[in-house]
Amino acid sequence: TRTTAAAPVPVGGPPAQTVAPGCPVGSTTGTAYVGPAPGAAVPAYVASERQQLAACLRAAPTARLFAVVSLQTAENPTAAAEALRGVELEQVYVQLPAATASPYVLPVTGATNGVVQVGQAIQTAYDRAQATFTADRSRQVSLAAKVAGKTSSALAARQRLRAAANQDELAAGELMTSCACTYGAVAFGTVQQLAALQTSDVTVVALAPAGVVAGGLTARPLLPAETGTLSSVAAPSQVLASSPP
């Protein structure tokens, strides 16, 4: 199923090791937010995170951490996999062209080192998301058919359900192999591996602190269009199931 997230989306994975000074301060609660603050100037945020990455790379290159990766442009699964090769992926973030203005979060499984495995994992996440959209559409159509009566509330309910079904159908059609939709990811690896992601294809690799536990990381990558001052830092508003219904 698909649910609305009112806050940035928590993700999880293996807890990170304690690292040396120069890296992000470790979490004492097992939780952390990684992303820009409201009102942040994107150039300053990017510069700060790049400096943090360089300092941590010098201090503790073999420490294993989470990182939030923001791509320069939205990519299809093949290109995204090339940009994200060499690390483990927890989630990828996609924004569909027309179905909705809100980004979506796709859980990733089995995304180990190597462009082929990562590409397969991202494509599997796309396929599962399509299955979720399709199932949601069928459910909305079925519910709309069951809403009886001609009162204003019943008519409004049917209209809402049909509109949601139409959006799900459009989203399922847009989320395909050729869709240049992936704009970010949550990655896990050594600081050296994560630093290797910082290329011309990547806007920023923002490290998470050590000590973050499974389910404790709240991630918010930058959208490619976000280049100025951010008035808000709303999280992706939809979460897609990790497997088809």
Side-chain angles (χ1 to χ4, degrees):
T1 59
R2 197 182 66 190
T3 58
T4 299
V9 180
V11 301
Q17 300 172 358
T18 302
V19 296
C23 297
V25 176
S27 171
T28 58
T29 62
T31 62
Y33 168 72
V34 178
V42 170
Y45 167 74
V46 169
S48 175
E49 292 298 336
R50 287 182 176 179
Q51 290 172 0
Q52 177 83 90
L53 178 62
C56 191
L57 178 61
R58 292 190 297 268
T62 61
R64 292 173 61 79
L65 298 174
F66 289 111
V68 180
V69 184
S70 303
L71 301 180
Q72 284 277 7
T73 58
E75 304 284 5
N76 63 36
T78 300
E82 183 65 34
L84 297 167
R85 67 185 308 169
V87 294
E88 299 174 33
L89 296 185
E90 297 287 323
Q91 292 182 332
V92 293
Y93 292 71
V94 301
Q95 186 168 40
L96 305 184
T100 174
S102 300
Y104 292 86
V105 184
L106 311 185
V108 177
T109 57
T112 54
N113 292 355
V115 65
V116 175
Q117 294 95 324
V118 173
Q120 290 173 344
I122 294 176
Q123 187 57 57
T124 298
Y126 273 45
D127 292 342
R128 288 174 171 170
Q130 280 186 305
T132 299
F133 279 129
T134 301
D136 279 355
R137 181 188 186 282
S138 297
R139 181 175 59 84
Q140 300 284 7
V141 170
S142 176
L143 289 173
K146 293 177 181 178
V147 177
K150 296 183 178 180
T151 64
S152 59
S153 60
L155 293 172
R158 282 198 294 272
Q159 186 175 17
R160 286 194 301 270
L161 289 166
R162 287 167 181 162
N166 289 339
Q167 179 173 299
D168 286 332
E169 184 176 31
L170 182 57
E174 289 181 344
L175 195 56
M176 60 187 70
T177 301
S178 60
C179 178
C181 299
T182 300
Y183 70 91
V186 171
F188 184 79
T190 67
V191 177
Q192 190 170 28
Q193 290 171 329
L194 295 169
L197 299 177
Q198 188 65 75
T199 66
S200 60
D201 295 324
V202 172
T203 301
V204 66
V205 177
L207 294 177
V212 175
V213 299
L217 177 62
T218 299
R220 202 287 192 177
L222 292 169
L223 287 160
E226 292 177 327
T227 57
T229 299
L230 302 179
S231 58
S232 67
V233 290
S237 63
Q238 304 283 346
V239 181
L240 298 179
S242 57
S243 59

